[in-house]
Each structure stands twice: as C-alpha cells, then as structure tokens.
Amino acid sequence: MKLIIVDLDGTLFDTKNINYHAYKEAMASYGYDLDYRYYCDFCNGRHYMDFLPQITTMDKKILEKIHHLKKVTYKKYLDKAVLNVGLVDIVRLLRGEYKTALVTTASKKNCYDILEKFNLVELFDLILTHDDITKSKPDPEGFLRAMEYFDAKPNETIIFEDSDVGLEAAEKSGAYYYKTFRFN
C-alpha cells in the first residue's frame, strides 16, 4: 500500500496568522498580550503547553482555558489562512495510486474547521490530530499510526512536513520525507 502523509500547519496551510490572532484574543481575556514577532519566532508550530507557560502563567487550569478559547476563536480568523495549492495538486494527482493521510498536532476542532472551510476533508482517507495521539512530534507516533492503519511500510510512504520537530518525526518513522517551503 502506498501512502502520502501531509502535515497541516505550515505545510498544507500557512496558519501562522490565524493562530496568532486566535491566541492573542484568547490571552487578552486573561490580561496577557502577545507580540506578533515573538509568536512567529518562538511559538508558531509548537504545542501550547510548550510556550504558553513561559508567556502567561504556570496555572494549568488557566492555560487550558486560554487554549480552549483559542480553539473557539480560531474559526473567526480562517480568512487569514494561505493554502499550499501546489501540495493540494500533488495529493490530488496521486490519490489514485496512494492513500492519503493528514497528521497534525492541531486540535481536531481546528483541523476540521480549516479543512471544511477549504472543502478539503474528502482529500484525506485518514485524519489524525492531537486528539488522536498520545505523543506529539518529534515522536513519530502519528506517522506510524497512519502507516499501520493502511498497512503501509516506511519505504511505501512519503511525508510532507515543514517544521524541525515534524521532520525529525518523519525521519524517525523511516519513511521518505520532503521539507515543504515555509510561507513568508
């Protein structure tokens, strides 16, 4: 079985501006501010527990409330997404020969919000989000689960990723992988 695995944030879409505005609004509700440049350099593409405590609070309940509010607010900023049309074309061209999976550390809600907005849910035979896995990238768990689901061997799998942790996870999976360009 041949398999293509695609990452969401920074690969299929440039979601930096969506996430920035959603986090900024969510954090403001708790009296915190978020600088755009700081977000781009140190937060974008990372799990919220890896950066929010450094810029807000260590109180886990407040962190979870901020993150929940960010997920709710996310949909409001979907017009700020930039689709990687070239990657969508590649996946569509290869769909007859390859199964397709999306593996992301994004929440299921935000993942489906953006895929539905761009009518791309049907592009993927399997969608695995942060809600479906126990270990985030750079652990290869999500990629390995997708390969297992389709009974695809690493040498039958191509992964498209953009981030350092995503590329590390792809390498650990044993699959072929390609670094996609970063949106600017």
Side-chain angles (χ1 to χ4, degrees), residues 31-156:
Y32 298 102
D33 192 24
L34 183 59
D35 177 74
Y36 181 74
R37 193 75 257 147
Y38 181 87
Y39 177 79
C40 293
D41 292 344
F42 300 107
C43 309
N44 188 44
R46 296 175 63 203
H47 187 262
Y48 77 99
M49 288 302 284
D50 293 336
F51 68 87
L52 272 184
Q54 288 80 27
I55 57 176
T56 58
T57 179
M58 296 299 275
D59 184 326
K60 193 170 181 171
K61 286 183 182 181
I62 292 175
L63 292 170
E64 288 171 358
K65 287 178 181 180
I66 290 172
H67 186 248
H68 174 74
L69 189 53
K70 177 264 178 186
K71 289 193 293 186
V72 171
T73 307
Y74 183 91
K75 198 169 189 172
K76 189 163 132 178
Y77 297 104
L78 287 175
D79 63 324
K80 297 185 179 304
V82 178
L83 178 64
N84 185 339
V85 177
L87 183 55
V88 170
D89 288 347
I90 289 169
V91 174
R92 283 191 173 127
L93 284 169
L94 296 175
R95 276 206 62 157
E97 195 175 335
Y98 287 79
K99 289 293 185 183
T100 58
L102 183 125
V103 175
T104 179
T105 56
S107 70
K108 186 176 293 292
K109 179 183 180 351
N110 290 165
C111 177
Y112 278 88
D113 283 346
I114 196 166
L115 290 176
E116 288 167 0
K117 164 106 173 139
F118 285 84
N119 298 312
L120 293 175
V121 174
E122 75 288 342
L123 186 62
F124 299 100
D125 300 307
L126 175 68
I127 297 172
L128 294 175
T129 69
H130 180 75
D131 304 328
D132 302 310
I133 58 170
T134 58
K135 299 176 196 149
S136 293
K137 300 168 189 174
D139 191 284
E141 179 190 1
F143 297 143
L144 296 174
R145 288 198 49 206
M147 286 187 256
E148 183 181 323
Y149 181 86
F150 292 109
D151 197 25
K153 295 176 180 66
N155 68 351
E156 299 170 324

